[in-house]
């Protein structure tokens, strides 16, 4: 249920970010619902495949979306799957989709695709440990060692869960390829990370990538929302709206970090995750 809901909600989230960016620059902007039409238009278009590519070029977009959707199915926004240690499988599924996305970019034989894949791998390597420790800390304080039993912010666990929220916030920016880690609107190939991997994809393949990117960001937003008090669906919608506004503001007034400065920024994710896990162990 959660995976289907996020798949349907993802285009609205991406369209809301674009609409808010337009409003921040005093433009009317397109409707937030236009993304549904754009995805449908991409799905109807033809796609091309490099002559030297293998079936991996086609598997990349499909597995990127499938991994994000299956990972989202473990989050308790709506009734879903759950078992002890499911957060490990969720992160594995996210990384599986990213791995095949990188392989598909390399399979196209494009220099920019190879460069984007290398940079994506570095960002993942820097961001993943902190995210893993943060989720482990939240699960340790919860019930059943599962994402279905995550605790709610408040009382003696407030400090630990605040660190978890901070780690997931940095992870959303990194894994979602948003400012200040990456600029999704750039047209300079030498600075691209995520977009450089999509240059050779078109039509339905590009639609799958666009949808997978939005679902991945919503995975982290949903992970943050279940740690906050209140009805989970309403809190998720509020957190998603806040993130849409934050991303629009960052991409309108913020600047992209130099690539060599990314380790400094992503080290905060590891720091927050490590402190949260140590705090959860001390409390437990």
């Amino acid at each position: 249920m959660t995976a289907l809901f996020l798949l349907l909600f993802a285009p609205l989230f991406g369209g809301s970010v674009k609409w808010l960016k337009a409003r921040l620059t005093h433009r009317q902007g397109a409707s937030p619902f236009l993304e549904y039409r754009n995805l449908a238009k991409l799905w109807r278009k033809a796609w091309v495949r490099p002559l030297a590519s293998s079936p991996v070029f086609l598997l990349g977009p499909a597995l990127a979306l499938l991994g994000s959707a299956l990972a989202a199915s473990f989050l308790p926004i709506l009734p879903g799957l759950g078992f002890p240690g499911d957060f490990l499988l969720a992160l594995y599924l996210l990384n599986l989709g990213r791995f095949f996305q990188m392989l598909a970019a390399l399979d196209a034989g494009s220099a920019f695709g190879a460069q984007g894949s290398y940079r994506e791998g570095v960002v993942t390597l820097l961001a993943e440990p902190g995210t893993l420790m943060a989720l482990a800390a939240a699960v340790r304080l919860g019930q059943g060692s599962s994402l279905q039993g995550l605790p709610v912010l408040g009382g003696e666990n407030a400090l630990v869960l605040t660190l978890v929220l901070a780690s997931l916030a940095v992870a959303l920016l990194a894994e979602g390829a948003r400012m200040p880690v990456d600029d999704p609107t750039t047209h300079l190939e030498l600075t691209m990370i995520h977009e450089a991997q999509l240059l050779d994809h078109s039509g339905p393949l590009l639609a799958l990538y666009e949808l997978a990117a939005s679902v991945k960001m919503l995975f982290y937003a949903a992970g943050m929302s279940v740690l906050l008090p209140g009805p989970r669906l309403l809190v998720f919608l509020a957190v998603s709206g806040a993130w849409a506004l934050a991303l629009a503001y960052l991409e309108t007034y913020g600047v992209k970090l130099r690539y060599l400065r990314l380790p400094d920024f992503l080290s905060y994710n590891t720091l927050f995750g490590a402190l949260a896990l140590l705090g959860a162990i001390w409390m437990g």
Side-chain angles (χ1 to χ4, degrees), residues 18-32:
K18 294 179 180 179
W19 179 79
L20 287 169
K21 287 170 66 176
R23 302 303 295 176
L24 288 173
T25 54
H26 306 288
R27 294 180 289 117
Q28 181 176 355
S31 168

Side-chain angles (χ1 to χ4, degrees), residues 16-232:
S16 298
V17 174
K18 294 179 180 179
W19 179 79
L20 287 169
K21 287 170 66 176
R23 302 303 295 176
L24 288 173
T25 54
H26 306 288
R27 294 180 289 117
Q28 181 176 355
S31 168
F33 295 95
L34 184 63
E35 284 300 298
Y36 293 98
R37 181 178 177 183
N38 290 338
L39 289 175
K41 181 171 64 175
L42 283 174
W43 192 260
R44 293 193 301 268
K45 286 187 174 182
W47 56 274
V48 294
R49 171 181 167 182
L51 293 177
S53 64
S54 70
V56 173
F57 184 81
L58 305 179
L59 283 175
L63 290 179
L65 179 59
L66 182 62
S68 300
L70 289 178
S73 66
F74 294 105
L75 293 170
I77 301 299
L78 295 172
L81 306 174
F83 54 86
D86 53 7
F87 69 99
L88 295 173
L89 180 58
L91 290 180
Y92 172 81
L93 290 169
L94 288 177
N95 284 318
L96 180 66
R98 183 184 298 107
F99 174 71
F100 275 94
Q101 175 182 305
M102 294 163 59
L103 284 185
L106 292 170
D107 191 57
S110 167
F112 292 125
Q115 177 178 284
S117 296
Y118 164 76
R119 293 182 173 183
E120 179 85 10
V122 172
V123 170
T124 301
L125 181 65
L126 294 172
E128 197 64 30
T131 305
L132 177 60
M133 289 187 288
L135 288 179
V139 167
R140 183 177 176 83
L141 293 180
Q143 300 176 353
S145 301
S146 169
L147 292 174
Q148 299 293 322
L150 289 177
V152 176
L153 181 69
E156 61 181 9
N157 67 12
L159 178 57
V160 173
L161 292 186
T162 300
L163 292 170
V164 172
L165 291 173
S167 178
L168 293 178
V170 177
L172 186 149
L173 298 176
E175 304 286 2
R178 312 300 290 208
M179 296 280 270
V181 177
D182 192 16
D183 186 358
T185 61
T186 183
H187 298 288
L188 181 60
E189 289 87 348
L190 292 176
T191 66
M192 290 178 177
I193 299 179
H194 175 74
E195 297 297 327
Q197 302 171 68
L198 315 184
L199 292 176
D200 295 293
H201 291 80
S202 57
L205 304 180
L206 183 59
L208 292 176
Y209 270 142
E210 295 289 342
L211 189 56
S214 295
V215 172
K216 187 187 298 183
M217 285 190 293
L218 288 177
F219 172 86
Y220 290 98
M224 298 174 67
S225 68
V226 297
L227 299 176
L228 300 176
R232 285 180 170 175

